[in-house]
Amino acid sequence: MPGKLKAKIVAGRHLPVMDRASDLTDAFVEVKFGNTTFKTDVYPKSLNPQWNSEWFKFEVDDEDLQDEPLQITVLDHDTYSANDAIGKVYIDIDPLLCSEAATVISGWLPIYDTIHGIRGEINVLVKVDLFNDLNRFRQSSCGVKFFCTTSIPRCYRAVMVHGFVEELVVNEDPEYQWIDRIRTPRASNEARQRLIFLMSGELQRKIGLKVLEMGGNAVVGYLQCFDLEGESGLVVRAIGTACTLEKISTLPATATNPSNSSPSKDMKEPGFGEEAPGVPLSSGPPTPLRAQTFSSFSPSKSYSRQSSSSDTELSLTPKTGMGSGGSAGKEAGPLKALLRQQTQSALEQREYPFFTLTAFPSGFLLHVGGVVSARSVKLLDRIHNPDEPETRDAWWEEIRQEIKSHAKALGCHAVVGYSESTSICEEVCILSASGTAAILSSRFMQDGPLDTEHRFEEVVSPGCGFCHIPYDELNIPFPAQLTYCYCCRRYKVPDVLFTTIDLPTEANVNGKGCLIQARLCRTKKKAQGEVNATAISNLLPFLEYELHTQLMNKLKLRGMNALFGLRIQISVGETMLLGLASATGVYLTALPSPGGIQIAGKTPSDITYEQHISNMQKKINDTIAKNKELYEINPPEVVEEIIGSPIPEPRQRSRLFRSHSESSDEVSELDLSHGKKDAFVLEIDDTDAVEDIHALLTDSPTPAGFYSCNTEIMPGIQNWTSAIQMFTSVRVFRLNNVNLSNQGLNKIFSDLCENLLKSLYFKLRSMVPCCLCHLNFTVAIPEDELIQVAVTAVAMSFDKEQPLENGKQSGEKTLKKAITENDEQLQFNLELNAETSSSNPLSSPKGLSEVGSHPSARAPSVDYSSFADRCSSWIEQLKLKAHTIRRGSVKTTSSLEKASPLPEGRSRSLRSNRSYSGSSVAVVKMTPLSFIPGAKIIKYLGIINMFFIRETTSLREEGGVSGFLHTFIAEVFAMVRAHVAALGGNAVVSYSMKECVFMENPNKNQAQCLINVSGDAVIFVRESELELTSVQPQSATTQTSNGGEGT
Amino acid sequence: MSMELDVFVGNTTVLDEDVYQLWLDGHSVTDAVTIRVEAGALQECEANAEVLHSDTMDQFRTFQMCERLLQSPSKLANQLLFQIPPHRQTMLIERYYEFDSAFAREVLGKKLSKGTKKDLDDISSKTGIALKSCRRQFDNFKRVFKVVEELKGPLVENIQRHFLLSDVLARDYAAIVFFANSRFETGKRKLQYLSFQDFAFCAGQLISYWTVGAVDNMMEDMDVDLEKEFLHDLKDLKVLVNDKDMLDQHKSLVCAQLRGKIKVFSEMEASFKNLSRALVNIASKLTHTKDVRDLFIDLVEKFIEPCRSDKWTIGDLRLFLTHYSSSVHTLEAFRHQVIWDRYMGVIKSCILKMYHD
């Protein structure tokens, strides 16, 4: 029994009126953990009850601590009838189980009811005393840290990256149990919420156990998903990357490394050696486009329930990649080849050499092959034995095997930026997995001392190394154009590169990037069972192929040559399939300049037709030119003399010796001399293609001052200001006309996305110049004729004027900005009263420096509040004096105003503060990114993983579907913020809304929505503050961060 | 084919001040979109009508959701649903409580009960202010009135404290509450030329100098009512017109001061006794509630109109009132100097404020 959970119920506020007669409420609280329940006294007749309860103590196993949430229910006492529930709060106590995360949960948390939404707030205190348990056979995994962030968290260092962890848990969905017919919607929603809390707790514990087994202490890139399979059950599954992390001692590091705001600088390490020539001898053309399509074909073949012969799938994959890299290496540098083999074997030992990370410590990612993906269509059936979810496991295993084999085909031993997803419609389920085939360095993957190895490791020049092809030029199973790297001129690179990872920070990029989307809608006949599944799997390859063609065209149209953060979502409905591919296009200087797009007609005889084509061609060329200007892409002119000279002789020879491939020689020469010749040819042979080209050109450019991307960082922008705005936007579109052609549907879908983007730009126009980062689109087909698009992203402002070289100036600027910000904060703090002990002493550096120098962590805040109290009372006094003067004297009022020593606004706010003893609400920032511009994350407090259901039977009264969902999303945000603030945090990073399932029945005036969000709760401090406080003890800094940040 | 659902939610609540104003003014979404188009919103950010409509809908919805909080502004600061920076909160509250002078002028002095609400339709059509906006403004008046009606202490401060309004706005509300409480007559045709700001100024004067709170700040009493004792004492001023000697002496003192300084000297000389009598009579009658209500109509009928018909300039009037009130100090027989000053201080500034076309 290794844990004691303690909870104290302090007070409530803003409670709803439960007794119509008195307009008041007699509230009490039930605190439940596992099977133990405690109750507070009834606090009669108040909407702001002060329970001030004793400490309720639960003595529990740490297994339970991990699985169970603390459940707090607020009720209205009723003498004659049953007590009415006001609402509930679920508290995930996992963050308290890890010594490095939060130590206490304390603060105002919204009381939530699935029917009425937020109904007041409750102030609670929760603590955990953990006893050490050295039992080797324990079932708990307390202390394993979880991060949603898909890179090594900011204040940690990766000692080792162990690899892929996955787990899934299955249960019956309470909504579909027989009992649901007799219980209230509220009861069934709560049963569901509780179950999902339990399941995710269990899942996390199980994954933690696996991590401990592997010898790790953390999971990075933790991705948890729900599959609401309806009748057949509820699946909660998660994947992640097990790591051993080590905390970087905070302050000294900070002082020396102030460039944290731009994440790109963070991981940069000096001293990369030159790569010895000839190591990655492999050569072979990878057009990831084709790699992709190719990979997609195979999975669709095995849709059936019985995990059909995996042999066939593998046989589709030419067994090439693996050996070639190694054998080629032997000829050139035996030592390195050996190391490489070691790495490979180390990776091969793993079942799945997958990594959910999308950004890597420098030197970890060596080469990138291209996107690999696999999909499979399955028919759902009831999960008979939830404890042995074999079928679901087997399904995923199948897919992962396939991914693995695709990676091998690309000569890669690992898959990075890996993710899994599902789309369910009735009994059909599409499972998808995708990632980027890559070759990783062994540096973080082997035990033992690393430094010696590090020296010999093949370290490629950082700017282009990852672009060099990892596969064998000869055995590549698809045709592609290869050229010598435009940076180092030594190794082969593909003409385009598609990846699912973030742009490596060290990559050489020309100009800025932009969001590129391919959108596709395909009708499908209504069908049942196997027929339906077959139909879908037959459609899938075409869908993917078209998505890729679109992506490729749009990429070329923007004059770019690489895609990062590629995410392809395929959503299935009863009568259609939706495909949405989003990625961030960039121009990598290492890759050849993309040729233009050339249009060719099949029937050149007709003159008007010719003219039409040439018109279109002109339009396209103009667009490309315009885009190049817009994204500031100015590829350096390729100078002729370069040919041949920097390319090391031995390589040439060796290549010739291997294959004597004239073709490849030709290609490279062609490319070097002329960029235009490899123009992408679009054939207009039917009306479809014409439509496609039109669609291509109708994509409206981002308005001036805006940039957009779906990755963590935008190349070419570094000077972020601290203004960030995270948002979620949801749209549902109804197609009334069922008999639409594919083209018509495409247009509707595309317009929907385009208009949504336009609306976002318009909404956020006050932030210009600004970049929408991590634009994450999710599409769904909630009903037959509905298309739902949800977007979560963050808008970040940046300073336009400042050129990149002027780092110093920028520092000053941000400092200045920070100072003014601090001034605001000072006001803010005073305004919102000193009573909150969490007030921020250091953010108001001016008058309060004496306080900040306090050595103890707790003391300063107390001091500060009293100081502020004094301060405000002093101001009050002055005010009072001024007031008396006014009253007493006979002069006119206007002249007397001046007697008041303070500007009006401030004195007023102080007064307001006196009357509302209420505490201020700490500002909590939210962002889908892993960092906060201009700030340093000093502590990770734990993972936030919340699941809410909201239902209404009075849809019209709540403002219709939009009103209903608007409120619900706002409520979810509020609850996330409140829980983060209660953990002592001031921001959520890597925030994502993973599920937003919306169902409506307007005829019955009903609607229901499920939302699942996750992220990492953190404490951050402004860099400017860090500079101010860097001399002070660390404890002071920690304290600082507790205060609200004012923006 | 239609947009079934369309929402945008920011972690920091996105608020457009211009759209907020349109919402406050009681426009429908369609009207608001038209107005925005006319204002050139389409030029911004390459927007189209659809975008604008969606944005307007969304903003209106947000404001509607906030409205509940705005009605008790103190809640806005510690609610969790909307993350709004403090200065934006202040803006929201301030704008929500701002009102049209034209509307306030109509309601001024009327009972803020349900009966009047039915008249909102009339006011709306008379002033051209949308009914929705009228309703909001009226409800604001009523809400503020209800809260501060029974509170002790300075009126303006009470309003500021409970509704977190700026000093200027709180003063205006104080005037409205004060007028509604004392039910001053403002609707008569002769008073139509006076604006809300004229009355608000007068109310400020009355609150500052004629209420209980005006005398002793520490006294925890209501600011809403005029001080009974003071009104009673005003009767003593009658001696100024009833005592023939004193009246003559007063007149000669004033004439001596003003000779050659004002253009309307002869008119003044002729009507001095009437004017003085008017002012003093008004003072002495203030013990009756009915006469308190008629304070402004009396001032206009008995003092301002005679002056106006004699074409006094405002400068002449100011000089006259100054000397009229100060020369009383030299009347040795007169012993109510304090009361006189307290009375005339307010009357003088009110008259000067009200003396225009």
Side-chain angles (χ1 to χ4, degrees), chain B residues 5 30 55 102 198 245:
Chain B
L5 181 157
T30 327
D55 180 63
D198 295 336
D245 292 346

Side-chain angles (χ1 to χ4, degrees), chain A residues 125-188:
Chain A
L125 263 170
V126 184
K127 284 181 180 176
V128 171
D129 291 334
L130 266 188
F131 314 128
N132 262 340
D133 182 17
L134 299 172
N135 180 0
R136 286 185 55 215
F137 304 104
R138 63 180 185 168
Q139 286 300 299
S140 75
S141 54
C142 290
V144 174
K145 294 178 283 286
F146 284 80
F147 301 93
C148 293
T149 303
T150 55
S151 54
I152 301 302
R154 299 277 146 169
C155 48
Y156 290 93
R157 193 173 69 83
V159 179
M160 191 111 61
V161 181
H162 300 281
F164 191 61
V165 278
E166 48 79 31
E167 187 63 78
L168 64 81
V169 199
V170 178
N171 211 314
E172 260 183 285
D173 192 337
E175 185 110 331
Y176 293 87
Q177 282 163 344
W178 66 269
I179 196 170
D180 203 59
R181 291 182 200 160
I182 52 168
R183 67 181 163 191
T184 62
R186 176 180 284 122
S188 117

Side-chain angles (χ1 to χ4, degrees), chain B residues 135-318:
Chain B
R135 192 147 288 155
R136 170 183 61 84
Q137 298 182 31
F138 185 78
D139 289 345
N140 283 345
F141 292 168
K142 205 165 120 185
R143 197 176 315 114
V144 173
F145 182 76
K146 269 195 170 169
V147 169
V148 296
E149 193 184 18
E150 300 296 321
L151 284 179
K152 301 201 163 181
L155 185 56
V156 180
E157 307 250 323
N158 280 340
I159 293 172
Q160 277 195 331
R161 184 177 310 164
H162 280 86
F163 293 93
L164 311 177
L165 302 177
S166 71
D167 200 55
V168 179
L169 194 54
R171 275 170 206 287
D172 283 349
Y173 268 93
I176 290 160
V177 169
F178 187 73
F179 267 68
N181 188 59
S182 303
R183 308 275 310 283
F184 284 105
E185 177 60 63
T186 64
K188 287 261 166 67
R189 209 165 47 82
K190 283 183 178 167
L191 293 178
Q192 285 306 316
Y193 79 100
L194 291 170
S195 72
F196 169 76
Q197 285 312 326
D198 295 336
F199 281 120
F201 174 83
C202 297
Q205 292 291 308
L206 294 174
I207 294 169
S208 301
Y209 301 105
W210 284 9
T211 57
V212 183
V215 189
D216 185 358
N217 179 56
M218 302 316 280
M219 187 117 151
E220 291 276 298
D221 204 351
M222 277 173 264
D223 239 2
V224 199
D225 296 314
L226 297 177
E227 192 190 348
K228 289 261 154 51
E229 212 176 315
F230 165 68
L231 297 180
H232 184 79
D233 291 347
L234 284 176
K235 283 196 157 140
D236 299 337
L237 300 181
K238 264 190 190 164
V239 72
L240 277 175
V241 287
N242 289 352
D243 186 324
K244 186 97 177 42
D245 292 346
M246 209 179 271
L247 183 58
D248 288 337
Q249 204 185 338
H250 191 191
K251 183 181 170 182
S252 59
L253 278 169
V254 173
C255 290
Q257 294 280 345
L258 292 179
R259 195 180 305 274
K261 286 186 187 157
I262 58 173
K263 284 180 210 144
V264 286
F265 184 76
S266 54
E267 291 91 332
M268 186 273 289
E269 205 169 17
S271 58
F272 179 87
K273 285 186 182 175
N274 280 337
L275 293 176
S276 183
R277 209 167 275 134
L279 290 180
V280 173
N281 279 340
I282 290 173
S284 61
K285 283 197 304 176
L286 283 176
T287 36
H288 306 289
T289 326
K290 168 81 179 63
D291 292 305
V292 173
R293 285 188 195 169
D294 287 341
L295 174 66
F296 295 102
I297 188 78
D298 286 346
L299 281 177
V300 169
E301 282 179 348
K302 307 210 167 112
F303 189 89
I304 293 174
E305 283 185 345
C307 293
R308 204 185 281 150
S309 65
D310 284 344
K311 305 228 160 49
W312 291 45
T313 64
I314 183 95
D316 292 346
L317 194 60
R318 180 174 288 115

